[in-house]
Amino acid sequence: MFITRVSQASVLLGLLAVPLLPGADARADGFTPKQRAEIIAIVRDALKQDPSILRDAVTALQADEAAKTQASTQAAIGRLQDKLVSADDPVAGNPKGDVTIVEFFDTRCPYCRRIEPVMEAFLRQDRNVRLVYKDLPILGPASVLGSKALLAAQKQDGYEKLRERVMTLPPDTTMAQIQSAAEQAGLDWPKLSRDMEDPSVKARIDHNLALARALEIQGTPALVVGKQLIPGAVDLNDLKEAVAAARKG
């Protein structure tokens, strides 16, 4: 019988996973201690003769795990579709676009800042995409401060104006820096500082955090495009391909 290298590798790894229990009687797996010892000896010799077997097995297992994760994520996105975007979410791009990108981001995250010019360039090229922002402050108090300021600024229709400035502030953002950025953006600072403590702002952040957990998002940035979750910073081609796939449906 012909057995592929990946199949052989998986079999060998499976045998390696069977614990050797010296002195034990024959068990439900059908191997006696002597037989199991012989199997392990064969496996070890095979790995010495061709170490790539282990690499191929690991690669196959990783691919299988990635496929399972992707399927789980797509199911979660489908299940949470009605909660993924709300009428209160801040929006950039075309509010009536035929494809929606949901961006989970943290104002302190260096990778979130890295994709800013990429996203701007993409939205200039594709005028039929809606970008929905989900503030996800997971990097400490300064992140919470930034998110609260942005969501408070939204009450003055100043979310994007302030976001442009906050995303360029030092990562350990202070209240004084937020105030300066808000005033430069022409926002009413006394109102904004009050609105930062509005219970509705905390509720929005809590909702985003719960949504991220439900989608098993591990960090920022994370983009949801159609039924696809893209973790980490992306380039322009990544965005184009993801949006094209979403349009195909």
Side-chain angles (χ1 to χ4, degrees), residues 30 33 42 45 66 68 71 82 90 95-96 104 109 121 123 126 130 139 153 155-156 176 185 202 216 218 221 226:
I42 293 171
D45 182 65
K68 290 179 180 177
D82 293 341
K96 297 182 179 179
F104 289 83
C109 171
L123 292 178
D126 193 325
R130 175 176 64 161
L139 298 177
K155 296 177 181 293
Q156 301 181 43
K202 182 179 185 302
E216 298 183 0
Q218 303 296 319

Side-chain angles (χ1 to χ4, degrees), residues 103-104 109 111-112 114-115 119 217-223 229-235 238-239:
E103 179 183 347
F104 289 83
C109 171
Y111 301 102
C112 297
R114 184 182 299 176
I115 69 169
M119 191 65 76
I217 290 174
Q218 303 296 319
T220 54
L223 307 178
L229 174 64
I230 307 174
V234 295
D235 61 26
D238 291 333
L239 282 173

Side-chain angles (χ1 to χ4, degrees), residues 59 65 197 223:
T59 299
E65 184 63 27
E197 302 308 319
L223 307 178

Side-chain angles (χ1 to χ4, degrees), residues 169-218:
L169 292 176
D172 292 324
T173 310
T174 65
M175 184 67 85
Q177 291 167 338
I178 292 288
Q179 178 178 355
S180 177
E183 290 173 345
Q184 289 173 21
L187 300 177
D188 181 340
W189 171 248
K191 173 176 170 50
L192 190 146
S193 61
R194 290 193 303 270
D195 287 341
M196 286 175 66
E197 302 308 319
D198 190 311
S200 66
V201 168
K202 182 179 185 302
R204 293 273 296 285
I205 292 173
D206 289 344
H207 172 78
N208 291 348
L209 290 168
L211 190 57
R213 284 193 294 270
L215 292 171
E216 298 183 0
I217 290 174
Q218 303 296 319

Side-chain angles (χ1 to χ4, degrees), residues 2 10 20 40 47 104 130 153 167 184-185 191 223 226 231 247:
F2 175 75
S10 299
L20 178 61
I40 288 178
L47 292 176
F104 289 83
R130 175 176 64 161
M167 294 295 280
Q184 289 173 21
K191 173 176 170 50
L223 307 178
R247 284 195 171 114

Side-chain angles (χ1 to χ4, degrees), residues 22-34:
D25 296 328
R27 302 179 65 82
D29 56 30
F31 295 124
T32 66
K34 181 179 179 180

Side-chain angles (χ1 to χ4, degrees), residues 1-244:
M1 176 188 292
F2 175 75
I3 302 178
T4 66
R5 287 172 55 81
V6 171
S7 297
Q8 180 187 33
S10 299
V11 170
L12 290 175
L13 278 186
L15 291 174
L16 276 173
V18 177
L20 178 61
L21 301 175
D25 296 328
R27 302 179 65 82
D29 56 30
F31 295 124
T32 66
K34 181 179 179 180
Q35 289 172 329
R36 294 164 77 183
E38 290 174 350
I39 290 170
I40 288 178
I42 293 171
V43 171
R44 287 174 175 163
D45 182 65
L47 292 176
K48 287 179 181 178
Q49 296 297 323
D50 188 359
S52 66
I53 291 174
L54 182 59
R55 181 197 62 212
D56 292 343
V58 170
T59 299
L61 291 173
Q62 288 175 335
D64 182 63
E65 184 63 27
K68 290 179 180 177
T69 299
Q70 182 180 26
S72 174
T73 299
Q74 289 179 343
I77 291 173
R79 187 173 64 251
L80 297 167
Q81 196 68 46
D82 293 341
K83 298 180 180 179
L84 194 56
V85 177
S86 71
D88 295 331
D89 287 326
V91 174
N94 182 351
K96 297 182 179 179
D98 65 341
V99 172
T100 296
I101 298 175
V102 180
E103 179 183 347
F104 289 83
F105 77 99
D106 185 306
T107 58
R108 293 189 65 202
C109 171
Y111 301 102
C112 297
R113 295 178 177 211
R114 184 182 299 176
I115 69 169
E116 283 293 287
V118 175
M119 191 65 76
E120 289 173 8
F122 176 74
L123 292 178
R124 283 196 300 269
Q125 293 181 22
D126 193 325
R127 300 288 184 173
N128 203 24
V129 170
R130 175 176 64 161
L131 175 61
V132 174
Y133 291 117
K134 292 286 188 180
D135 294 80
L136 194 67
I138 57 176
L139 298 177
S143 296
V144 176
L145 182 67
S147 291
K148 289 169 68 175
L150 294 185
L151 293 173
Q154 188 182 4
K155 296 177 181 293
Q156 301 181 43
D157 295 324
Y159 184 95
E160 285 194 81
K161 291 180 183 178
L162 186 57
R163 188 179 184 279
E164 290 176 1
R165 290 167 172 79
V166 169
M167 294 295 280
T168 63
L169 292 176
D172 292 324
T173 310
T174 65
M175 184 67 85
Q177 291 167 338
I178 292 288
Q179 178 178 355
S180 177
E183 290 173 345
Q184 289 173 21
L187 300 177
D188 181 340
W189 171 248
K191 173 176 170 50
L192 190 146
S193 61
R194 290 193 303 270
D195 287 341
M196 286 175 66
E197 302 308 319
D198 190 311
S200 66
V201 168
K202 182 179 185 302
R204 293 273 296 285
I205 292 173
D206 289 344
H207 172 78
N208 291 348
L209 290 168
L211 190 57
R213 284 193 294 270
L215 292 171
E216 298 183 0
I217 290 174
Q218 303 296 319
T220 54
L223 307 178
V224 177
V225 187
K227 293 293 181 66
Q228 183 180 5
L229 174 64
I230 307 174
V234 295
D235 61 26
L236 197 55
N237 286 333
D238 291 333
L239 282 173
K240 289 179 178 179
E241 290 176 3
V243 169

